[in-house]
Amino acid sequence: MDTYLVGGAVRDALLGLPPGDRDWVVVGATPQQMLDAGFRPVGRDFPVFLHPHSGEEHALARTERKSGRGHRGFVVDADPSVTLEEDLQRRDFTINAIARDARGDLVDPYGGADDLQRRILRHVGPAFAEDPLRVLRAARFMARLAPLGFEVAPETMALMRQMAASGELDTLVPERVWQELRKALAAPRPSAFLATLHACGALAAVLPEVDALYGVPQRAEFHPEIDTGIHQQLVSDMAARLAPGDDLVGFAALTHDLGKARTPAHVLPRHIGHEHAGLKPLAALCERLKVPTEHRRLAEAVCREHLNVHRLAELRDATVLELLERCDAFRRPERVARIAIACEADKRGRLGQEEADYPQGPALRRLHAAAAAVNARDLPGGAHLAGPQVGQALRKARIAAIAAARSP
């Protein structure tokens, strides 16, 4: 029985990145031997065990054979005769097919260390095409590694185009698509995820509402980048910069402009009412991918209100209160800061506007704090108010608080 450190732990150490979870491959063992050694079984589709002391995952070396459509259509063989090289061969990218033995020496049969040096994301072999999920994984890795200078190998991109054209991506279950999307939105450069999928034709299969933005023109005086798809990439990257690792903000930023794909051709490059037009495609996307409720509600608020936040200084005090109420800001106060960040990402996600000031963000938080500080029990004559009178008095007091917070 030989044990090897594999995958992301080896890759990230060679890149000098902070260590994450460590995964191990065990060669030459049976499930019974693992149980006898005190390991706890956790694998459902193939033999994976937790170390009795460290709790780290140890998987038996295995091979996989395609048996049906989709990323689940595989037959797994975890026989003790499976070699380390055979196990590494089934992995997706060369940079993930590197192992380290007990002495600390690398086992690198597919040139992953060299591809790390050259900053290339390359598939290990032709079996890559058997799993459509790997197209999304390639894009998600680019969202993380593009800031380090990584590019997708031309032959890998060509294979991904073939996979997208085959229709195999239609077999992906919504939960797995959402999982990859969520990780990409929490990565340093989400635009690389979008650009990679768009370049290979896969974005239309998994996020058609976002793919539809590419090629849609905007007014150059407001959007020097013109193309709405490019604007969306810039906004997603700005959201990642302003709220690192926050996929809630990332999802709201990703979906804020979906309505622009629905603008009639004769109206372009103007997009009148796009904020409301975007709610329907947003709902379709959320239903299809089973997006969590809080992500959906925040995205709806940003989609519907981002233009109002941009012109916050022009809104009447009562209108500001109505905006906050539509966002459920008094029951979900943590939502306000994220709305402000997503709107700032929209404003600064434009060519030449990357360092622009966005006073609307602090103003929105300040006005919300002032209104939220008003409590019904502290209203003048509150003890004598009943029914609708309480709500009316509370609304009047909150409007007054917003007005006072706006005063110099």
Side-chain angles (χ1 to χ4, degrees):
M1 184 189 301
D2 294 311
T3 303
Y4 299 85
L5 184 65
V6 294
V10 180
R11 177 197 68 228
D12 291 348
L14 293 173
L15 286 172
L17 296 175
D21 294 335
R22 301 199 303 172
D23 296 313
W24 304 83
V25 160
V26 181
V27 178
T30 65
Q32 189 58 51
Q33 286 175 299
M34 299 295 287
L35 295 174
D36 291 344
F39 285 80
R40 291 184 291 116
V42 293
R44 184 182 65 179
D45 300 322
F46 47 83
V48 178
F49 302 83
L50 297 182
H51 191 280
H53 303 300
S54 69
E56 294 176 333
E57 287 192 358
H58 286 61
L60 296 187
R62 67 186 189 271
T63 60
E64 296 173 345
R65 177 173 54 84
K66 186 73 170 174
S67 62
R69 282 171 60 83
H71 73 281
R72 291 179 173 174
F74 291 90
V75 173
V76 174
D77 178 13
D79 189 86
S81 64
V82 175
T83 66
L84 176 64
E85 288 74 15
E86 288 173 327
D87 180 273
L88 294 175
Q89 188 178 38
R90 69 173 175 78
R91 297 176 184 269
D92 46 13
F93 306 106
T94 61
I95 64 172
N96 294 332
I98 310 170
R100 193 182 293 278
D101 64 20
R103 295 189 305 263
D105 297 328
L106 293 182
V107 181
D108 183 20
Y110 305 107
D114 184 55
D115 282 343
L116 282 175
Q117 290 289 330
R118 299 170 60 195
R119 298 300 196 254
I120 295 293
L121 188 67
R122 188 192 317 276
H123 65 287
V124 172
F128 179 91
E130 297 177 351
D131 186 354
L133 185 64
R134 289 177 168 178
V135 175
L136 292 187
R137 281 176 57 81
R140 194 247 297 170
F141 272 114
M142 286 302 298
R144 184 184 181 209
L145 298 177
L148 301 179
F150 274 79
E151 296 180 353
V152 179
E155 62 269 30
T156 300
M157 182 61 77
L159 186 56
M160 289 164 58
R161 289 194 184 98
Q162 294 175 18
M163 295 169 69
S166 74
E168 273 276 303
L169 273 70
D170 295 337
T171 67
L172 293 173
V173 296
E175 291 82 358
R176 293 308 300 270
V177 176
W178 170 249
Q179 184 179 8
E180 295 297 322
L181 173 60
R182 190 172 187 173
K183 290 178 180 177
L185 294 174
R189 193 173 295 174
S191 66
F193 177 84
L194 300 174
T196 299
L197 291 180
H198 181 66
C200 73
L203 192 62
V206 295
L207 290 172
E209 299 85 359
V210 178
D211 187 73
L213 298 175
Y214 287 86
V216 176
Q218 303 166 108
R219 294 173 64 182
E221 64 267 37
F222 300 120
H223 291 277
E225 68 281 356
I226 299 178
D227 190 316
T228 307
I230 302 303
H231 168 58
Q232 181 53 63
Q233 291 181 190
L234 295 172
V235 173
S236 289
D237 282 354
M238 184 57 67
R241 173 181 163 184
L242 296 174
D246 192 331
D247 54 82
L248 274 164
V249 171
F251 183 68
L254 174 70
T255 56
H256 80 288
D257 261 354
L258 295 183
K260 288 184 176 179
R262 299 192 160 210
T263 300
H266 71 276
V267 178
L268 295 173
R270 302 174 69 198
H271 293 277
I272 301 171
H274 75 273
E275 66 277 23
H276 297 290
L279 293 173
K280 187 172 182 179
L282 172 59
L285 188 159
C286 290
E287 288 293 331
R288 188 178 67 256
L289 297 188
K290 306 185 189 312
V291 174
T293 300
E294 184 53 27
H295 287 74
R296 179 171 183 166
R297 295 292 175 252
L298 181 69
E300 289 170 347
V302 172
C303 180
R304 184 184 60 242
E305 307 293 350
H306 64 276
L307 293 188
N308 287 329
V309 176
H310 291 340
R311 59 188 186 92
L312 186 66
E314 305 168 20
L315 301 184
R316 295 184 301 112
D317 300 329
T319 305
V320 173
L321 177 61
E322 291 163 4
L323 186 161
L324 294 170
E325 290 172 338
R326 286 194 301 271
C327 296
D328 202 14
F330 299 109
R331 290 196 312 124
R332 304 301 300 268
E334 73 283 354
R335 192 175 287 173
V336 175
R338 286 190 165 106
I339 291 172
I341 293 171
C343 292
E344 181 175 355
D346 173 40
K347 190 68 174 181
R348 294 172 60 183
R350 312 175 190 207
L351 290 180
Q353 295 294 312
E354 295 84 357
E355 305 304 325
D357 189 27
Y358 192 70
Q360 296 94 322
L364 181 67
R365 291 189 284 269
R366 184 176 68 254
L367 299 182
H368 168 253
V374 177
N375 196 298
R377 64 175 176 269
D378 298 327
L379 294 173
H384 304 290
L385 298 176
Q389 293 177 321
V390 177
Q392 294 168 1
L394 184 61
R395 184 175 188 274
K396 183 177 180 180
R398 283 176 169 169
I399 293 172
I402 288 171
R406 287 176 131 171
S407 301

